[in-house]
């Protein structure tokens, strides 16, 4: 089913935005539940992989293979993400790695939340439109697209828009959330890297 609004594929959260948003949500949630910061490289890797998974699946399916009109389909659908997340939680719990399952699922679901939040102020459409495939299918892009062509367009337009003198204030404001996420990671003890350093030093 197509809705009567303009394509929204050009409104995208950058990969580092999903990573930062996912880490902040997971770190604060972990602290709230356990009282401790997140730790361990496996947990961090699972979290970061989860934050990128929807785009790693849907963008190639759309931009590269042309199977879907936009890069929001199977992996962005809550009808897929919810059972996949619950399945991962069950699997990792059975193998005594529930912490890894929680990190992956938190990262995955945070990606969808980030996309839904962005859709509201940018286009004034329902936050769920991107997340209800196959019930809702977004209209096709207004131009031909290839995988590498689309990647070049998205990143090129992004950097062109922020790396100019007149956008320095915007760039500064844009950087604030990432600096806060990085600061939180440092406060948490740099999980992932700190563990690797201790292992290398034999501690």
């Amino acid at each position: 089913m197509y809705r009567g609004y303009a394509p929204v594929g050009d409104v995208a959260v950058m990969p580092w935005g999903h990573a930062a948003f996912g880490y902040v949500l997971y770190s604060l949630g972990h602290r709230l539940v356990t009282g401790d910061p997140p730790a361990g490289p496996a947990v961090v890797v699972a979290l970061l992989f989860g934050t990128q998974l929807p785009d790693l699946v849907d963008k190639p399916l759309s931009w590269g293979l042309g199977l879907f009109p936009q890069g929001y389909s199977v992996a962005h659908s809550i009808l897929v993400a919810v059972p996949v997340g619950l399945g991962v939680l069950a699997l990792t719990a059975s193998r005594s790695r529930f912490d890894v399952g929680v990190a992956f699922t938190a990262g995955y679901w945070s990606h969808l939340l980030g996309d839904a939040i962005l859709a509201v102020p940018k286009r004034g459409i329902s936050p769920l439109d991107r997340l209800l495939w196959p019930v809702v299918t977004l209209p096709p892009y207004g131009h031909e697209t290839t995988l590498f062509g689309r990647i070049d367009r998205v990143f090129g337009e992004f950097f062109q828009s922020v790396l100019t003198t007149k956008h320095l204030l915007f760039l500064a404001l844009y950087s604030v959330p990432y600096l806060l996420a990085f600061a939180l990671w440092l406060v948490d003890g740099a999980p992932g890297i700190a563990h690797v350093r201790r292992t290398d030093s034999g501690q």
Side-chain angles (χ1 to χ4, degrees):
M1 177 176 68
Y2 291 113
R3 294 288 183 85
Y5 49 76
V8 296
D10 58 332
V11 182
V13 182
M14 293 291 107
W16 49 87
H18 282 302
F21 184 56
Y23 183 81
V24 169
L25 290 184
Y26 177 74
S27 175
L28 296 180
H30 192 278
R31 286 177 172 275
L32 180 63
V33 173
T34 68
D36 297 315
V43 169
V44 175
V45 169
L47 173 68
L48 295 180
F49 177 68
T51 64
Q52 306 304 313
L53 180 61
D55 284 342
L56 291 175
V57 173
D58 286 348
K59 267 39 176 183
L61 290 178
S62 171
W63 302 353
L65 300 178
L67 298 180
F68 299 97
Q70 284 207 32
Y72 300 94
S73 54
V74 179
H76 281 82
S77 174
I78 58 175
L79 303 177
V80 174
V82 170
V84 167
L86 294 178
V88 169
L89 291 175
L91 178 62
T92 53
S94 69
R95 300 187 177 184
S96 301
R97 293 310 311 265
F98 188 62
D99 56 337
V100 175
V102 171
F104 167 81
T105 303
Y108 187 0
W109 291 354
S110 75
H111 183 114
L112 307 188
L113 178 61
D115 280 346
I117 292 174
L118 183 66
V120 179
K122 289 291 186 178
R123 293 290 182 176
I125 65 174
S126 168
L128 292 179
D129 283 340
R130 295 180 176 184
L131 312 180
L132 287 178
W133 180 92
V135 177
V136 175
T137 302
L138 296 179
Y141 295 109
H143 51 82
E144 292 296 325
T145 182
T146 63
L147 177 59
F148 293 106
R150 188 64 186 170
I151 291 174
D152 179 69
R153 178 188 177 94
V154 169
F155 284 92
E157 290 181 353
F158 171 78
F159 286 113
Q160 184 179 10
S161 67
V162 299
L163 298 180
T164 59
T165 303
K166 65 179 180 180
H167 289 125
L168 287 179
L169 177 59
F170 171 78
L171 179 60
L173 295 175
Y174 179 86
S175 302
V176 170
Y178 301 101
L179 293 176
L180 293 177
F182 181 68
L184 177 61
W185 179 71
L186 293 178
V187 170
D188 287 344
I193 291 181
H195 179 87
V196 172
R197 287 179 176 174
R198 287 195 298 269
T199 301
D200 291 341
S201 62
Q203 297 179 356

